[in-house]
Amino acid sequence: MSEKPEVDYQAVTARQQEVWASGDFHEIARQNVVMAEALCAAVDPHGGERVLDIACGSGTAALVAARRYCEVSGIDYVPALIERARQRAAVEGFEVDFSVADAQALPFPDARFDTVLSVYGVQFAPDQARAADEMLRVCRPGGRIGLATPMPKGWSGDFFATTASYMPPPPGLHPPLRWGTAAGLDTLLGAGTRTIESEERTAL
């Protein structure tokens, strides 16, 4: 019986940063506005609550939360995307704390946030267990974690299968689609949560 290959998460993370920084992700993020609005409607952060948008890209979900009069922070490990997020917030007149950081090592104290969000973001962290633990750590007891995540079936599954056929992921790495399954969510978040609720939605 062969052992699972040891994954160099630091090297994979560094490579991911290069890839995400190589194009203008904001062009893709435009399509995530509907998902961000639907996620915030489901999680329902209230005015004055502290909200964190993990792997925020150009700030789409963070800005939706800011429009709800929340105290919002957003992190991403691509500096250009954080700069774009700051520009968008300034145009809309919001004060959002955007910073360059890694979902696998969040620069916040324990129980800092009432709500933690991620739209097609944290799921790409190579060390999924560590990213999940970090979300749970910074979310206060009784708080809420909301994820818009790809699923194994439908266009998400087809997209990732096609991509993997040309650019296979490193051996031993769990696929992002794991977050879109009940078993995956239970493994990653079950021990640290009171309940997990999932709802299938059709994305643009």
Side-chain angles (χ1 to χ4, degrees):
M1 183 175 179
S2 61
E3 294 185 3
K4 186 177 178 180
E6 189 73 23
V7 179
D8 186 345
Y9 290 115
Q10 188 173 359
V12 176
T13 299
R15 176 58 184 149
Q16 283 186 341
Q17 283 178 292
E18 293 177 4
V19 172
W20 288 110
S22 65
D24 186 2
F25 176 76
H26 180 62
E27 291 299 321
I28 297 173
R30 296 175 192 273
Q31 302 174 45
N32 292 345
V33 173
V34 174
M35 284 185 277
E37 291 174 342
L39 181 63
C40 281
V43 179
D44 195 24
H46 290 64
E49 288 190 337
R50 293 173 175 172
V51 176
L52 173 63
D53 183 7
I54 297 179
C56 66
S58 55
T60 298
L63 292 175
V64 175
R67 294 183 198 112
R68 287 170 162 257
Y69 301 99
C70 298
E71 181 183 326
V72 184
S73 299
I75 67 100
D76 199 283
Y77 61 11
V78 178
L81 288 176
I82 288 298
E83 182 56 34
R84 176 66 70 91
R86 288 171 177 158
Q87 292 171 2
R88 294 177 70 193
V91 167
E92 294 199 36
F94 293 124
E95 292 186 9
V96 179
D97 177 26
F98 287 115
S99 58
V100 177
D102 185 353
Q104 301 161 122
L106 296 173
F108 304 105
D110 296 355
R112 175 73 171 87
F113 298 97
D114 302 290
T115 302
V116 177
L117 304 172
S118 191
V119 177
Y120 277 49
V122 69
Q123 297 88 345
F124 290 96
D127 192 341
Q128 294 184 357
R130 185 173 177 185
D133 288 345
E134 281 291 272
M135 280 196 295
L136 293 168
R137 180 183 66 78
V138 301
C139 187
R140 69 166 175 79
R144 304 175 300 284
I145 295 174
L147 305 173
T149 186
M151 301 178 64
K153 65 181 183 180
W155 71 267
S156 291
D158 293 341
F159 175 81
F160 281 96
T162 301
T163 302
S165 69
Y166 290 95
M167 189 172 59
L173 207 64
H174 288 290
L177 296 174
R178 182 188 189 199
W179 292 88
T181 66
L185 288 173
D186 185 63
T187 298
L188 292 165
L189 299 173
T193 54
R194 188 175 302 153
T195 60
I196 297 178
E197 299 178 15
S198 297
E199 180 179 347
E200 293 186 16
R201 297 282 187 97
T202 300
L204 290 177

